Amino acid sequence: MLLIRCPYCEEERPELEFRNAGEAHIARSANMAGESDDDFEKFFFIRSNPKGIIYERWRHMHGCARFFNAVRDTVTDKFVMTYKAGEPKPTKLPKNSNEVVAK
Amino acid sequence: MSGAFRIPGAGRFSQAKTARFSFDGQSYAGIEGDTLASALLANGVHLVGRSFKYHRPRGILSAGAEEPNALVEIRRDAARKTPNVRATVQELYDGLDAQSQNRWPSLSFDLGAVSDIASPLLSAGFYYKTFMWPKAAWKTLYEPKIRAAAGLGVSPDQPDPDHYSSRYAHCDVLVLGGGAAGIAAALAAAETGVRVILADEQAEFGGSLRFESGAKIDGQDGFAWAQAAVAKLAAMDNVRVLSRTTAFGYYAQNFIGLVERVSEHLRTPGHDLARERLWQVRAKRVVLASGAIERHMVFADNDRPGIMLAGAARTYLNHYGVAVGRNVGVYTANDSAYAAAIDLKKAGVNVAAIVDLRDNPTGPVIDEARALGIEINFGRAVIRAGGKLRVSSMTVQPKNGGGERTIAVDAILMSAGWTPSVHLFSQSRGKVAFNDETKRFVPGTYAQDCVSVGACNGTDGLSATVDEAYAAGVRAAKDAGAKAAKSSKPKVDASESWSRGMLGAAPGAGPDTTVKAFVDFQNDVTAKDIRQAVHEGMRSIEHVKRFTTNGMATDQGKTSNMHGLAIAAEVLGKPIPEVGLTTFRAPYTPVTFGAIVSHARGPLFDPTRRTAIHPWAEAQGAVFEDVGQWKRAWYFPKAGEDMHAAVDRECVAVRKTAGLFDASTLGKIEVVGPDAAKFMELLYTNPWEKLEPGRCRYGIMLREDGFIYDDGVVGRLAPDRFHVTTTTGGAPRVMNHMEDYLQTEFPHLNVWLTSITEQWAVIAVQGPKSRDIIAPLLEGIDMSDEALPHMSVREGKICGVPTRLFRMSFTGERGFEVNVPADYGQAVWEALWAEGQKHGAAAYGTEAMHVLRAEKGYIIVGQDTDGTVTPNDAGLDWAVGKKKPDFVGIRGLTRPDLVAKGRKQLVGLKTRDPKVVLEEGAQIVEDPKQAIPMKMIGHVTSSYWSENCGRSIALALVAGGRDRMGETLYVPMPNGVIEVEVTGMVFFDETGGRLNG
Ligand SMILES: [Zn+2]
C-alpha cells in the first residue's frame, strides 16, 4: 500500500484514503459549446498513458475530500510529488525519490 | 519414552511433557515442543505422504517452512480440517490428529502409484500436450480422473468456524528473521530506543542456532544466547517480539504483511483466541535476516522416505533429540553435511559413509569426521537410492564412472549447499546479483529502505554475520531517526562456516538418463523434465518454469529453483545469470484466506444501511431487497399473499386511496451559497436561475459526453439554497461529480455542498387521499392547490418536528414527500400511518413504486438508461435548457453520433396478448423469421404486470422508436416469439389530471 502526501492535510496518508481521478491538467474550455469535434475529442477521450512520469488527479476521499494533483511514476507506482489543484504543472521535478538506490 | 528414535540426553526438551497424537489413525507419543515431523521421526515414521503426480511415497525432507513433501491434513473437528499443513511447521499438541494425503486406499499401498509406472504420459508439459484432444475426453477423463488423482489435500466442506484478527503497526526498524543475524540487528536497533519489531516464523527464536552445535556467543551456547537475547528484547518497552509469525509479503514503501499463528499449536484454543492474526506493518527501515535454505542433491530416486537435508537431520538431533536413522549415509558437495555426520556419530548413530562429490576438500570438519572413524569417499557420487517405502541403500560410483558399490543405509543426509533466502528482498523489487564464485544469487540493487544481513545476504560464518547484522541494526536505527547508541555488540566465541556446494544434477542424473532424479519434489519435476523442456524449445527460465511447473507448487521452489535453473543453463550452454531467475512473489508461504479476510466476513463483509423506518417495515413483515448497501422494503405481503398479489393490491390502493412509501434512501444533497443557482445551471441541463424559491423542478445531470448520469427532483428552498435529490444508488457518485467540478473547474463559485441523505427521512404519501392524511398533522403549511401546487416545496412542522414538505409525484397521483429529521422518521411515519388507516391507505414497497412509475412512463436512471442514453433518446428533451450558454454535457450532446438518425429511443411496448409480461433485457427484432443471428433493434428495459391497466406494460429502447408508433415488433424467446406494439410511454392517465385529483 502506497503512502500519498495530501497537499492540503500536509501529511502522508495510506492509499486506502484516496481515489484516483484520472489525468490532470486537462482543462475544460471556457467556451465549451463552441469546441470543435477534434478539440472535444482531445479533451474528453484522449489520455496520455505514459510509461514513466504521469500527472494525475487524486482525491483525499476519506480525509479532507479535496482534489489535488500528483506526479507519479507508472513504472514504480511511486509518487514523485503532489500539489494543490489549480497550481501549474511543475516544470522541474524533485529528484525522483523512487529511483533505485544502490546501497 | 516418546519414540524409539529419541536419543537420551540429546535435544532441548528432555523435561517436556508427553503429548499423544495420531497419524492415519495410529496412536503415537511425542513431547511438547516437537513438531509433528520430529514426533513422527522419533517414532521411526518417515513415510508421510504421496507425491502430487506420480503418487510416489514421500518422507520428510526438511525441518522448516521450505518442506515440499510432508504435507498432511490436521483435523480438530468436522469443520476444522486443514489440508496441506507442513508437518515440519505444525507444532505438536496433545490429541493432535493428522492424516496423510493423496493416497488411496492407504499410504503404504496406493493404487494411484501406477501413474509412476505410466509416467511417460505425465512428463514435462503434460498439461499442454496430453490434455489437448480429444475434446470429449475433457469431460469423461481429464477433469474427473486426472484431477482427482493428481492433487494434494482436500478443502474443508464446512464454513470456517474460527475467527481471525488483524492489526496495523508502525515501527522504526522491522527485523524479519530471528536467527543470530536478526537478533543482533534487533538488539543494536533497540538499544538506541527506536521502536523495533522482531518477527520469526518459528515457535522459538534462534534460526540455525537450533542445530549449530559449534556456535558460542557471549560465552554461551548459541541457542541459549538467542533465548536470553530475545527475552531481553521482549522486556523492552520499545520492542515487540513476534514468534510464529511469517512475513509473507513485502509491498510498496516498506509495507509488510505478516501472519501470526496465534493458536494453531494449542490443544484447545478457546473461543477468545483468534486462530491467526494478520499484521500490516509500516516500517521506516527493514532489516532482512531471512537466512538460507539448504538444497538437496539431485540423483536417481532421491525422494525415497528417509532421504533428507543434512541440516534438517542435525536439527532433529540437536533441537528435538531425534535420530533420523540408526545407520545413515551422507551425500554432499559441501562441508555442512560433515557437521551433521559428526553430531550423529557422537550421539551414537552409525554413519555408514560420507560420499563427497568434491575431489579433495580439506578443512577442520573433514579432519574431525575422519578422526571419528567415519568412512569418507571423495570424488564419488550416489547414483541411486534403494528401497521404496523407506530408503534401504545407496549405490556409489566414482563421479567420472567406474565400479559401483552399494551400501546399506536407513537414511541419507544430503547437502548441495545453501541458497540465500532472497524472497522478501526480491518482493521488495530489489534486483539480485549472481556471485559467480559462490554460485548464488544475493541481494544486488535495493529498491526500498531495507538491508539484508547474514545468510540471506550471502554472508558466511557466525562471526561475520553478527558483525554485519549489528552494524546494520545501528545504521537502520540511525536512518530512522535514532540519536546515539550504547554499544553492546555480541561477541562470537566459536563459529561454524561453510559455503559453496553445487547446483544442478549430480552424476547419475546427468544427460541421457531417464532416471527420476527429483528437482522439485512437490510438483514431481525431475532433471529430465527440465532438459526436455529446453529440448522442446523453451529458452527463458520463465517458460521452463511454466512448462515443467518447476517451482510452481505451494513451496514456490524453495529447494528446487536453483537446481532447475542450473540444469536449464547447462543444457542451453549459457551462464546462469543469462538464463535468469524467476520472480519471487508473495506470499512467501501459503496464507489462509481467513487471515486475509479477518473480521470482514458475514455481516461485516459490507456495511448494511437501514432507514429510520426499517424497524416498522420489518415488524409489518415486509420483504426486503438489496439496493446497493441499502435494505429496502420490497413489498408488504398480507397473510396468504404472494409477491404478485401484494404488489397488485399496493398499486391499486395508491391510485384508489393512498399509499405510504419509505423513500429515505433517495440521495439528497444541499447546494448552498450565493452562487448556488449558477452552480446548478452548470451541473444540470435545466435552467435554474428563474426557478422561484418554493418551487421544484425535475433535473437531469449529464456527463461531458452528453449521456444521462443522474436525475431527481430539486427544490429551491431559498435564493441561495437548493435541496437536490438523486437516485438511491447514485448519491455518492453525484456528490463526487459535483465536488469535482466545484473544486477543479468552477472554483470561483461560492458554493458549499453537503450530503444530507442520512439526515432526512423521507415518507412519500401518494394518492387521492394523500392531502387528507397529511393535513391534520401539519403546522404552518397551507396545502391547498393554490398555495402548494404540484412541484413545490414548503418548510414547516409535522407532528411538532421540522419538515420540508415536497409536493411531487413519482406515481402520477396527487403526491407529497414528507422530509423529517431522520431521528423522527419512524414516529412521523407511524403518525401518518395511523391517519392513513382512516382512509384505507396501504404501505407500498419498491416493487409497487416501480410499477406505478412505469404506468406513467417515468424513467429510472440505470434501468431505462445505461450510460449511452441522451435526454432526447429518453424523450426528455424538454428538460434541456436551449438558451443556456454552458452546462456539463452541452458539447457532448452535439457530437455527430448523438444527433444521428436511428438512435435507440425510449418507447412503450404493449404485448399483443395483454396477459404476457415481457422479460426485462429481452431483445427486440423487426422480422422474427430472419436468419440467426437476427438483427436486434432494441431491448426491453422495464416490464411489469399492471393491475391498474389490467394488462402488461413495458418500456424499451428501440432504434428510431418514436417513428415506429403503432408498429408491430417481435421479441423472440426460447418458448416462442412474442408480438408487441410500439406505443407512447404513458400507460395510465395520459392527460395527467390525477396529479391534482
Ligand atoms: Zn487531505
Side-chain angles (χ1 to χ4, degrees), chain B residues 677-754:
Chain B
K678 273 193 195 125
F679 181 74
M680 290 297 293
E681 290 274 346
L682 285 164
L683 268 289
Y684 283 84
T685 60
N686 321 63
W688 299 96
E689 296 273 18
K690 288 183 181 150
L691 183 71
E692 305 230 335
R695 297 308 304 262
C696 303
R697 182 162 283 167
Y698 169 72
I700 296 179
M701 173 179 272
L702 306 181
R703 302 191 313 182
E704 291 287 8
D705 55 8
F707 295 129
I708 295 175
Y709 190 56
D710 203 72
D711 70 346
V713 169
V714 178
R716 189 171 197 174
L717 298 169
D720 62 351
R721 187 175 295 262
F722 290 84
H723 179 116
V724 174
T725 67
T726 75
T727 56
T728 290
R733 64 182 157 81
V734 169
M735 186 72 186
N736 188 69
H737 179 83
M738 287 183 166
E739 279 287 351
D740 192 348
Y741 278 94
L742 180 60
Q743 289 184 32
T744 66
E745 294 295 349
F746 313 131
H748 56 282
L749 296 180
N750 198 352
V751 173
W752 290 267
L753 302 169
T754 309

Side-chain angles (χ1 to χ4, degrees), chain B residues 4-22:
Chain B
F5 288 80
R6 197 81 65 173
I7 308 282
R12 301 195 170 95
F13 304 102
S14 51
Q15 304 301 313
K17 278 195 283 182
T18 300
R20 304 223 42 105
F21 70 103
S22 77

Side-chain angles (χ1 to χ4, degrees), chain B residues 177-179 198-207 242-246 261:
Chain B
L198 170 65
D200 191 87
E201 64 186 356
Q202 302 272 352
E204 283 156 303
F205 285 82
L242 296 170
S243 62
R244 301 187 175 95
T245 304
T246 303
R261 290 173 297 282

Side-chain angles (χ1 to χ4, degrees), chain B residues 181 374 553 651 846:
Chain B
I374 300 173
C651 288
T846 50

Side-chain angles (χ1 to χ4, degrees), chain B residues 540-876:
Chain B
S540 150
I541 193 63
E542 295 285 357
H543 290 156
V544 171
K545 167 179 166 175
R546 280 156 186 80
F547 193 71
T548 61
T549 73
N550 192 56
M552 287 175 70
T554 59
D555 69 338
Q556 283 196 44
K558 290 184 176 62
T559 50
S560 66
N561 280 337
M562 288 307 295
H563 281 323
L565 176 58
I567 295 167
E570 179 200 331
V571 184
L572 286 164
K574 281 185 185 174
I576 284 172
E578 279 180 37
V579 182
L581 186 62
T582 55
T583 314
F584 292 103
R585 295 180 208 285
Y588 172 70
T589 49
V591 177
T592 62
F593 284 112
I596 293 167
V597 169
S598 188
H599 298 295
R601 54 192 282 199
L604 297 179
F605 177 67
D606 199 28
T608 300
R609 301 174 82 184
R610 294 182 181 83
T611 71
I613 297 147
H614 186 96
W616 184 90
E618 208 165 29
Q620 295 286 314
V623 177
F624 291 88
E625 69 166 335
D626 291 333
V627 181
Q629 291 172 330
W630 288 104
K631 293 280 177 204
R632 298 199 73 181
W634 195 10
Y635 57 97
F636 292 83
K638 292 191 168 174
E641 277 185 340
D642 64 3
M643 178 173 173
H644 280 288
V647 171
D648 288 351
R649 175 182 49 75
E650 290 169 20
C651 288
V652 169
V654 171
R655 300 216 185 278
K656 206 169 136 207
T657 52
L660 267 70
F661 174 69
D662 180 4
S664 302
T665 65
L666 216 62
K668 295 175 279 292
I669 298 167
E670 208 160 272
V671 178
V672 183
D675 296 323
K678 273 193 195 125
F679 181 74
M680 290 297 293
E681 290 274 346
L682 285 164
L683 268 289
Y684 283 84
T685 60
N686 321 63
W688 299 96
E689 296 273 18
K690 288 183 181 150
L691 183 71
E692 305 230 335
R695 297 308 304 262
C696 303
R697 182 162 283 167
Y698 169 72
I700 296 179
M701 173 179 272
L702 306 181
R703 302 191 313 182
E704 291 287 8
D705 55 8
F707 295 129
I708 295 175
Y709 190 56
D710 203 72
D711 70 346
V713 169
V714 178
R716 189 171 197 174
L717 298 169
D720 62 351
R721 187 175 295 262
F722 290 84
H723 179 116
V724 174
T725 67
T726 75
T727 56
T728 290
R733 64 182 157 81
V734 169
M735 186 72 186
N736 188 69
H737 179 83
M738 287 183 166
E739 279 287 351
D740 192 348
Y741 278 94
L742 180 60
Q743 289 184 32
T744 66
E745 294 295 349
F746 313 131
H748 56 282
L749 296 180
N750 198 352
V751 173
W752 290 267
L753 302 169
T754 309
S755 166
I756 53 170
T757 302
E758 290 179 340
Q759 276 58 46
W760 294 96
V762 184
I763 304 160
V765 186
Q766 302 273 312
K769 299 287 181 191
S770 54
R771 180 164 54 185
D772 301 338
I773 293 169
I774 298 168
L777 305 173
L778 206 59
E779 291 167 53
I781 300 176
D782 179 353
M783 288 188 80
S784 67
D785 285 343
E786 299 69 41
L788 187 69
H790 179 57
M791 293 301 267
S792 54
V793 58
R794 295 289 180 276
E795 290 178 277
K797 285 193 165 183
I798 188 165
C799 304
V801 306
T803 183
R804 288 177 178 176
L805 179 68
F806 284 73
R807 174 150 180 208
M808 56 181 281
S809 177
F810 201 43
T811 59
E813 301 297 321
R814 169 187 294 279
F816 301 89
E817 289 192 358
V818 181
N819 286 249
V820 292
D823 286 350
Y824 301 108
Q826 182 154 334
V828 173
W829 172 282
E830 283 170 359
L832 286 164
W833 177 248
E835 285 298 322
Q837 293 300 287
K838 297 174 190 168
H839 302 276
Y844 66 102
T846 50
E847 187 64 19
M849 176 270 283
H850 276 99
V851 176
L852 292 163
R853 65 90 203 176
E855 288 172 352
K856 293 297 298 176
Y858 298 150
I859 67 161
I860 289 186
V861 169
Q863 176 167 345
D864 301 299
T865 71
D866 61 2
T868 67
V869 175
T870 66
N872 187 287
D873 297 340
L876 297 169

